[in-house]
Amino acid sequence: MLVDPTQLLDDCERAWREVGEPSAGGVEPAAAVRTALVLEALVAYRLLADHSDLPRDTVFTRWPACAVHTVALADGPELPRLVAEAHARVLAARPDLGSHGAAPESAGEWSRAAHEAARSLGWTWRAPTAVDDSVAPSRMPAPPPELRLGPGAGSVLLTLPGEPDAGDWQLSADGEVFAVRPPYWVLPGPVRRVEATDPTGTTHLSAVVDPDAALLAFDADGHRITPDEPLPAAEISLLHAGALQTEGTDSGVVELPTPYGWNGWTLSRVSLTGVTRVRASAAVPGSWLDVAAGRPLGWEGGATLPWITGDDGAPVWHRPPALRLPRRAGEPDARLWQADVRRPGHEEPLAGHTGSPGVLLDPWKDVPRPLLGPYEILVHRVGSRRRRRLAAFLAEGLTAEPTAEWRLLAPHGGLAPARLTLGTGGPVTASAHAVAFSPYEIAKRLVLDDGVRQFAVEVRIPHSEVRLELGGRPLTWYIRPLDIDAADLAGESALTVRLPEQAVAVTPLLALVVEGTTLHTLRPERRTRTRRGDLRYSLAALMDTVRDCVKAEIRLLVAGESIHVGTVRTQPIAEDVVPDGGGLLLRGLRHPGELTARLYAVFAPWEQPLTATVDQSGRIPLPSAWRSLGPLIVHLNAGAPTPPTPGWPRLRDRDTLVLRRAQWTSAAGHGTGAGVSEYLAGRGELPRGTDAIPYQWIVAARGRDLQACGARETAPAECRSALADAGPTALTGAADSALRSGELASVLAGSGLAALRIREVADPAAVRHVWRQAPLCALLLTAPLLPYLSGDLAYDVGELYQEEEELLGEVSQFLGDAAMALLAGHADPSRTVGRFDAQTRALDQLPELQQQAVWRSARVVPRGLLDPDTRADAAWQAFRARRDLQYHATREEFRDGLDAVSIFLDDGHPDLAQAFRGRDPGQLHGPGEAWMRVPQLSLGCALIARLAAAGDARAAGLERGLRHLWTPVASHAPDLTAVDIALAECLVTAEAVHSTG
């Protein structure tokens, strides 16, 4: 018999009110069953309240006796488990109740609500203390990461809550995989989204760049302003692609240097007072962001210490600020706001306040003193669950006094020494009363203590620094003289110097000095909208002057001083690397300044590279574990180490050295990785099985370089064969390889996995994991479901399970809008992108500087794999490898392969044949242009492979015959191969849908 939950709760409410307060003692079996039913009914109605945007506690207000007896009979230690199980049962029966973003249940919240319910009934009963305030397992998930500007706005950070010792976070940024530790991760460039999995296994999704808007907004403290909120009418920072456009009164705009990795973007400090809306010129038409009328939510008053910041660069308030509640124009005073103060990662509020819109609150008056460490304020309308978050790091009563407001560059490198004196009051103490900075120190850590807790902060004084731009790409800031390879001057190179604004009253000059003689001087670019103290000098004019010099100095002439800011060299950093006792020694070292080395193990290419500092004699110390790893690849980098990025070094880079003859005894540790290392060293067989698949992917992708550095010659071919034998399991295992889509594509082509037939999606949950880590392989695993994106009546999305629909949602995120048009049967909107034709021939005749200018805008805004910018970037990669591709394209069988593809497609595949002919470069001007046919062969091979995957036996035979032609092309142009595999899948799916319809 079905039970009406409302009737059940009403009946129990009357019965338990008559019984009175719950008594101590055991629970009868009948009462236990009744309690479980009541608990489940209460959870269901709380979820319904969420769904209707009503306060959850209205459920406890309506049935207070049910709340009290349920919590009492559930027993304190058992309450988290029982509530969690009831929550899961309700969502299993009504999954639509979870689609509204319902928060998980908290046992502590139930206990507090039951205590309030007892008080409302006049009972003296108190709720038992729950062992765990969360229904989650024993470890609490970390708060979600936050996007913010780094110190000095020189980078974009994703702050990671928790302690570094808690374990690694696994990040997936548009399919690129990183393993990082708190407190933050520096984004290497624009990405659409980052999926961050904390050490407890909880995954947080952070949307970064919306390609349609191409604009990110940050408040005065550097915290990201969420995209779904209007911008405040205040001074903020905007990171945007293209020019900034505003409506309303003219905004005051000051352009700041572009953050690390965000080439093609502009960081502007903008006052939006009087501005009604704003957009970036690179955004799609109509993508305006509104500026809020009225008062925005934010801090007012208070004071920060400009020399002290939190771990993530957040300012430290020594005089706590007041909180201005938001107010829209015409908003009535009756719509109250609630502001709750708490510690990050804790649910229990420290204080709560209610106020009318626009009112100024003191949120700290009821917070226990002393005010020290990070706090967050959650602000929401009374009765609404949608919350907005403000964060602040407080150190009430702390004082700091520097010996200089700004540290200038010293003539021979580094900065002028300085000192910061600290003062504390009350119970707050600092680990040092004075902090001294030597010439090469820009920041020091300090610990603040209130007698109970300790918090680490960073101390730094604003200082001068220099930064190099290569190919339009900004590198990191340095205080040491820069090392500049003369070959880089051929590209779009520039040097930016940051000075105090008062130092540029007389324009500083940049001088090229050789053996004490000034050969050339440069004036800074005239950039009227930039900060006055940031001077940018284009270095392209120096290229001809330094051509015949072994080494030249770049000096800044400012305020009567000649400051060494860079060295230009025309030779490699070092000639060779050799073993030297417990480390390595660079021979023929030509770099006198700071130098770092990143080392990669040839027999363990999956290991994270080791970053080491090179001393003045050229020696690189090695940990004992690295002294017996065998051959090493050593990539040298002038200056401090840059944030690590995934990938593999280019062996052709003249600052990449290889130590081929190095000691190797046996693989470190045990397990599959050790077995693959021994195999690469020439001992034993290639390990097989599921655990070995990620290692096989890495060896197959980087096999050419591994062979050149001394690894087993047959390793790449044997790994490709092993992956082909593994079939769909190999595609799933790619998620643990941490390879880029381009690297995966080259293996898909060479192993035959690009032609693997997948008949059904047997395990959507497993494929969802692959979408996060290896999206190109996930696309092939999802191929059986792609017809449901065509819009054809024969493929009704309503037939799919929810997990399958989620997989289809990933397709548009990865491939972009062009893929949706192709799957719907429309013409390829970007069919000309990626073809080498007469325009490419003209580009080949230009100097490299002008070639880069043509392609510079590609992928400024991150888009889907099949969108025009991404395709253009892939074509640019293939164009740069044209000399390598020319060798393969001149072979007679290359032309035979093109003919074979053309004949096959003309016989029954007219739409695919048309796409294939669209890549034809036309009449060539001699055999020296054979490389221009490579994109056509690449697409042709991809089309044949995907036809084979669709079940065409003739295509499967042709694919095996073409594989030896496709494999070298894919290794030299991996990104083009990735584009073509995805493009071919969409074209083949659309053809299949059309033919069945």
Side-chain angles (χ1 to χ4, degrees):
M1 180 180 69
L2 296 177
V3 178
D4 179 3
T6 304
Q7 187 66 45
L8 170 69
L9 291 172
D10 287 341
D11 291 344
C12 289
E13 182 70 16
R14 284 193 299 269
W16 276 330
R17 287 197 186 197
E18 291 175 2
V19 170
E21 299 184 27
S23 59
V27 182
E28 295 292 331
V33 173
R34 180 176 57 182
T35 302
L37 290 173
V38 170
L39 179 65
E40 191 166 327
L42 291 175
V43 169
Y45 275 104
R46 283 166 63 81
L47 286 170
L48 283 171
D50 275 341
H51 208 65
S52 305
D53 286 329
L54 295 175
R56 279 184 165 192
D57 287 350
T58 57
V59 177
F60 295 136
T61 304
R62 179 174 176 180
W63 296 293
C66 288
V68 173
H69 277 265
T70 301
V71 171
L73 295 177
D75 188 26
E78 286 296 304
L79 183 61
R81 179 182 63 82
L82 295 175
V83 174
E85 291 174 354
H87 188 267
R89 287 195 299 271
V90 172
L91 286 183
R94 288 284 305 275
D96 58 302
L97 294 181
S99 62
H100 194 64
E105 293 285 352
S106 165
E109 185 180 354
W110 278 67
S111 297
R112 289 189 295 272
H115 177 68
E116 290 296 321
R119 191 170 61 177
S120 71
L121 294 169
W123 297 347
T124 59
W125 174 89
R126 297 186 63 84
T129 302
V131 174
D132 187 357
D133 188 46
S134 170
V135 300
S138 57
R139 296 186 68 183
M140 284 281 292
E146 180 193 6
L147 202 69
R148 60 163 295 122
L149 289 177
S155 58
V156 179
L157 308 178
L158 188 72
T159 62
L160 303 174
E163 297 297 326
D165 295 338
D168 287 349
W169 286 61
Q170 301 298 320
L171 306 184
S172 173
D174 287 352
E176 305 289 343
V177 182
F178 303 81
V180 296
R181 293 201 166 193
Y184 58 79
W185 173 60
V186 178
L187 269 71
V191 295
R192 286 167 291 162
R193 64 175 182 175
V194 177
E195 292 194 23
T197 303
D198 65 30
T200 70
T202 303
T203 298
H204 311 270
L205 178 62
S206 297
V208 182
V209 174
D210 178 359
D212 292 341
L215 185 147
L216 285 75
F218 302 89
D219 63 20
D221 291 342
H223 296 278
R224 172 100 182 262
I225 300 172
T226 55
D228 58 347
E229 293 185 6
L231 301 178
E235 185 172 89
I236 64 174
S237 296
L238 296 177
L239 185 58
H240 51 95
L244 203 60
Q245 301 171 354
T246 60
E247 288 187 356
T249 60
D250 290 337
S251 59
V253 179
V254 176
E255 293 183 7
L256 303 176
T258 305
Y260 168 78
W262 289 69
N263 51 302
W265 288 65
T266 303
L267 180 63
S268 301
R269 189 168 63 238
V270 185
S271 174
L272 296 182
T273 304
V275 176
T276 57
R277 57 180 188 167
V278 63
R279 73 181 294 268
S281 62
V284 299
S287 292
W288 290 89
L289 297 181
D290 293 327
V291 178
R295 289 187 176 273
L297 172 70
W299 304 119
E300 287 193 18
T304 62
L305 295 167
W307 310 284
I308 303 178
T309 61
D311 274 347
D312 62 352
V316 172
W317 299 82
H318 71 104
R319 193 164 66 245
L323 176 68
R324 175 71 68 179
L325 293 178
R327 181 170 196 150
R328 300 283 183 88
E331 184 176 10
D333 291 341
R335 301 190 67 183
L336 299 180
W337 288 87
Q338 174 78 23
D340 295 322
V341 184
R342 69 180 189 181
R343 289 285 189 181
H346 293 73
E347 291 293 330
E348 185 71 27
L350 301 173
H353 305 276
T354 304
S356 302
V359 76
L360 194 65
L361 292 179
D362 178 8
W364 317 107
K365 63 180 180 181
D366 296 328
V367 178
R369 260 47 179 188
L371 296 177
L372 178 66
Y375 296 86
E376 62 182 15
I377 297 186
L378 301 178
V379 183
H380 62 94
R381 290 191 188 279
V382 174
S384 172
R385 292 187 59 254
R386 186 171 182 271
R387 302 186 297 185
R388 299 163 67 181
R389 175 180 173 273
L390 285 179
F393 193 110
L394 304 185
E396 190 174 23
L398 183 68
T399 62
E401 184 177 350
T403 56
E405 296 288 332
W406 186 285
R407 298 178 67 194
L408 294 169
L409 291 168
H412 301 292
L415 299 169
R419 183 183 179 90
L420 186 72
T421 304
L422 300 170
T424 57
V428 176
T429 60
S431 56
H433 295 295
V435 180
F437 297 93
S438 66
Y440 292 105
E441 291 179 328
I442 61 175
K444 282 192 172 182
R445 289 177 65 84
L446 192 71
V447 176
L448 302 179
D449 191 329
D450 63 1
V452 178
R453 300 181 180 88
Q454 292 184 337
F455 301 97
V457 295
E458 191 173 79
V459 182
R460 67 170 68 205
I461 297 174
H463 57 275
S464 296
E465 50 196 346
V466 293
R467 183 173 73 172
L468 189 64
E469 294 179 32
L470 298 178
R473 180 172 60 94
L475 305 182
T476 52
W477 291 96
Y478 292 109
I479 59 172
R480 296 177 182 268
L482 299 172
D483 179 274
I484 305 170
D485 192 331
D488 292 330
L489 298 179
E492 184 187 6
S493 59
L495 187 144
T496 299
V497 182
R498 174 165 287 174
L499 298 170
E501 294 194 8
Q502 61 269 26
V504 297
V506 178
T507 304
L509 299 178
L510 203 66
L512 182 71
V513 179
V514 177
E515 296 181 354
T517 303
T518 300
L519 301 183
H520 206 298
T521 57
L522 301 173
R523 299 183 66 85
E525 298 175 353
R526 295 181 60 85
R527 308 176 77 191
T528 58
R529 293 162 62 97
T530 60
R531 178 185 174 276
R532 290 187 64 238
D534 293 331
L535 307 177
R536 186 177 186 273
Y537 300 83
S538 175
L539 300 180
L542 304 180
M543 184 176 62
D544 292 335
T545 306
V546 301
R547 191 183 306 275
D548 297 325
C549 303
V550 174
K551 186 173 67 174
E553 287 187 352
I554 297 181
R555 307 191 72 87
L556 182 71
L557 309 180
V558 56
E561 296 279 0
S562 176
I563 300 171
H564 183 203
V565 295
T567 300
V568 182
R569 54 180 173 77
T570 58
Q571 296 176 317
I573 293 177
E575 294 291 345
D576 195 11
V577 59
V578 296
D580 180 48
L584 305 177
L585 180 65
L586 297 176
R587 296 196 299 195
L589 181 64
R590 300 185 180 90
H591 177 71
E594 186 180 20
L595 188 64
T596 55
R598 191 162 283 155
L599 285 75
Y600 302 78
V602 173
F603 292 164
W606 47 85
E607 295 288 349
Q608 289 293 318
L610 171 69
T611 300
T613 301
V614 184
D615 65 21
Q616 292 295 319
S617 64
R619 192 174 184 277
I620 306 173
L622 288 181
S624 57
W626 279 75
R627 296 172 191 170
S628 58
L629 288 185
L632 299 175
I633 300 174
V634 182
H635 178 71
L636 302 175
N637 180 67
T642 57
T645 57
W648 188 249
R650 293 181 67 250
L651 294 189
R652 293 189 179 185
D653 188 328
R654 68 180 186 176
D655 290 329
T656 298
L657 306 174
V658 179
L659 181 69
R660 291 180 174 83
R661 295 182 180 179
Q663 179 185 6
W664 187 84
T665 52
S666 62
H670 303 281
T672 306
V676 177
S677 290
E678 295 205 3
Y679 163 76
L680 289 175
R683 303 179 185 177
E685 300 296 324
L686 175 66
R688 302 289 180 125
T690 304
D691 292 344
I693 286 176
Y695 301 99
Q696 293 168 359
W697 275 101
I698 295 171
V699 174
R702 299 168 179 169
R704 236 171 11 119
D705 287 348
L706 300 180
Q707 287 174 331
C709 297
R712 184 192 291 252
E713 284 287 332
T714 58
E718 291 184 13
C719 285
R720 289 195 295 265
S721 177
L723 292 171
D725 293 341
T729 306
L731 296 178
T732 305
D736 297 322
S737 67
L739 293 174
R740 295 173 52 251
S741 290
E743 292 178 297
L744 292 170
S746 66
V747 181
L748 290 172
S751 64
L753 286 172
L756 180 67
R757 189 175 189 187
I758 308 292
R759 297 177 182 271
E760 63 176 348
V761 182
D763 188 353
V767 178
R768 182 69 186 276
H769 172 68
V770 182
W771 270 112
R772 295 173 179 169
Q773 312 290 345
L776 186 63
C777 291
L779 175 67
L780 304 188
L781 290 168
T782 311
L785 300 178
L786 293 187
Y788 288 92
L789 292 174
S790 65
D792 191 277
L793 295 178
Y795 297 93
D796 183 6
V797 179
E799 300 174 355
L800 301 178
Y801 293 108
Q802 181 179 352
E803 295 86 352
E804 294 173 327
E805 289 188 47
E806 291 175 352
L807 293 185
L808 291 181
E810 299 284 353
V811 174
S812 60
Q813 173 71 27
F814 175 56
L815 296 184
D817 296 337
M820 299 302 101
L822 289 168
L823 290 170
H826 302 305
D828 185 357
S830 307
R831 54 188 174 273
T832 61
V833 180
R835 179 181 66 193
F836 290 167
D837 51 17
Q839 292 182 346
T840 313
R841 181 180 295 113
L843 182 65
D844 189 28
Q845 307 302 318
L846 296 175
E848 184 177 357
L849 179 61
Q850 297 181 34
Q851 292 175 2
Q852 293 178 355
V854 173
W855 296 91
R856 191 178 305 130
S857 61
R859 296 210 73 180
V860 168
V861 179
R863 299 186 182 275
L865 186 65
L866 296 186
D867 286 334
D869 287 354
T870 311
R871 291 204 216 180
D873 188 59
W876 169 240
Q877 181 198 69
F879 175 78
R880 296 188 65 182
R882 60 194 181 279
R883 290 176 178 81
D884 294 317
L885 295 173
Q886 173 70 12
Y887 168 77
H888 301 285
T890 52
R891 297 159 62 185
E892 183 177 351
E893 55 185 344
F894 186 93
R895 183 60 191 233
D896 293 341
L898 284 172
D899 292 340
V901 173
S902 180
I903 293 170
F904 184 94
L905 296 179
D906 284 336
D907 184 17
H909 302 280
D911 292 340
L912 304 184
Q914 182 179 358
F916 176 72
R917 285 193 295 270
R919 286 279 185 92
D920 190 342
Q923 186 66 37
L924 300 183
H925 294 177
E929 291 185 347
W931 56 271
M932 295 178 68
R933 296 194 185 276
V934 165
Q936 187 180 22
L937 178 77
S938 176
L939 179 58
C941 291
L943 288 169
I944 297 300
R946 296 317 295 160
L947 284 170
D952 190 320
R954 290 178 54 234
L958 180 56
E959 185 275 333
R960 288 190 292 270
L962 293 172
R963 195 178 301 171
H964 71 290
L965 297 176
W966 196 16
T967 300
V969 168
S971 66
H972 290 295
D975 289 356
L976 180 67
T977 305
V979 167
D980 287 342
I981 290 174
L983 177 59
E985 176 56 39
C986 292
L987 292 171
V988 169
T989 298
E991 182 192 62
V993 171
H994 177 73
S995 62
T996 56

